[in-house]
Amino acid sequence: MERVVERSNLWSAYQRVVQNKGAPGVDDLTVAEFKNWLKVHWPSVRQALLEGRYLPRPVRRVDIPKPSGGIRTLGVPTVVDRLIQQALHQVLQPLFEPTFSDGSFGFRPKRGAHQAVRKAQAYIREGKRWVVDLDLEKFFDRVNHDVLMARVARQVNDARVLKLIRRFLEAGMMQHGLVEPRTEGTPQGGPLSPLLSNILLTDLDRELERRELAFCRYADDCNIYVGSRMAAERVMQGIRVFLEEVLHLRVNAAKSAVARPWGRKFLGFSFTVQRETQLRIAPESVQRLTERIRELLRSGRGRSLSQTIETLNLLLRGWIQYFQPTQSKGILEDLDGWVRRRLRCLLWRQWKRPRARLRTLRGLGLDAERAWHSAMNGRGPWWNAGAFHLNQALPAAYFTRLGLVSLLREQQRLQCAR
């Protein structure tokens, strides 16, 4: 605990909390007000931590929709509890990092989703062309506190730290002024939860290693690669029993499966079927992007095209930053064309009346007869957005001059910069 509250560790934790911003907890203390609060209250908080008396506040419940449907429940700690959790994380991470498996990629230094999917690709190329896709049912809500704390105690012998972590786990969840007590689970939203999930699931990693299985795990998302369907079925049954009996976790039967890797998605990616399998973007990831673009453009009908493109570029750059390892270029070309067609559709709607469309098309370089037939054709916006006349008036170069990001060119730029 002395290392947790040491000045340089706390300063580093404070900088991280301020950088992450985040919403206030149940006490309504904001990050902007935090510095002045610490000047007054930190000495007493520090003393309580050193004496093992500190009691975390309840977390504020926030429900957000999952991309794949359903609701994810987050627990937002107070700013001071986020500071303490971050300080704990910085001390505990180096203790546990050497104990983690090489097959674990989530929430670890210098590791991430890209390394995980490339490792999965390597296993498939080796001939392990069946996957056991494990989905743990409500993992963060179902963590058994006793099982987790037994794993933490393997590396931590300071009773004050162990007691504090358990208190964070047991802190109630507040919604509409009422506090719901917690007897299991580790609420998502605090800096400590990802580390605790890796500590618990390291036992799963070791069991998979003991069975000499090829696997990639990112937090609670685990894929195991084997050479036959029979072996995959056997692994699924055995690991299900291990999770339920040893870690007290349940496999979500509806979302887990034994399948071919190209029929499943892993961290938003999937794979092609050929022997030298390639990384591709999962269809569900493409669909989520197109839905977000449609929503963004619906709200942009009253804005200028340059403002809409500026907002759209933020989304496109962030998306391709994550998916830049994809080796299937065709989908990026298709998306680039689709985005431009959506923008043409938006402009056609903004021009509204045939006379305004005629005038604008003439200004964009169409001859008088073609512009007149195009403006008066009576077809809908989406049809016109894909028609030759609007592609001629608003070619790809037109949007490039306005600064629209091309997913394909941005991917090429990112890969050259690596």
Side-chain angles (χ1 to χ4, degrees), residues 3 66 70 80 99 161 188 205 237 247 311 332 337 339 361 375 403:
R3 290 175 59 192
K66 291 183 180 180
V80 66
T99 72
V161 173
Q188 297 182 73
D205 300 341
Q237 182 59 33
L247 297 183
T311 306
L332 299 182
V339 168
L361 290 171

Side-chain angles (χ1 to χ4, degrees), residues 195-231:
L195 175 61
L196 295 178
S197 72
N198 273 336
I199 291 171
L200 178 63
L201 290 174
T202 293
D203 274 27
L204 170 62
D205 300 341
R206 296 305 177 203
E207 178 64 15
L208 295 172
E209 290 172 349
R210 188 185 68 78
R211 300 183 185 208
E212 299 183 343
L213 293 168
F215 71 96
C216 298
R217 182 179 66 78
Y218 190 98
D220 59 329
D221 196 349
C222 183
N223 277 9
I224 307 164
Y225 297 91
V226 295
S228 70
R229 184 182 187 93
M230 186 178 296

Side-chain angles (χ1 to χ4, degrees), residues 304-325:
S304 69
L305 182 61
S306 59
Q307 288 177 312
T308 299
I309 287 176
E310 186 177 345
T311 306
L312 185 59
N313 281 347
L314 293 174
L315 171 61
L316 295 176
R317 284 198 178 98
W319 191 83
I320 197 59
Q321 180 79 34
Y322 180 76
F323 285 108
Q324 59 94 3

Side-chain angles (χ1 to χ4, degrees), residues 57-72:
R57 301 288 299 273
V59 296
R60 182 168 61 85
R61 176 172 179 150
V62 178
D63 293 328
I64 61 171
K66 291 183 180 180
S68 56
I71 296 295
R72 174 177 284 116

Side-chain angles (χ1 to χ4, degrees), residues 45 83 86 99 139 147 150 172 194 211 237 249 255 272-273 279 293 305 309 365 371 409 414:
V45 172
L83 173 71
Q86 181 62 38
T99 72
F139 169 73
V147 172
R211 300 183 185 208
Q237 182 59 33
L249 297 170
K255 294 184 178 180
T272 59
V273 69
L279 270 179
I293 291 173
L305 182 61
I309 287 176
R409 287 198 297 272
L414 289 168

Side-chain angles (χ1 to χ4, degrees), residues 118 154 186 200 292 316 323:
R118 288 193 180 103
R154 291 172 182 171
T186 170
L200 178 63
R292 290 174 67 188
L316 295 176
F323 285 108

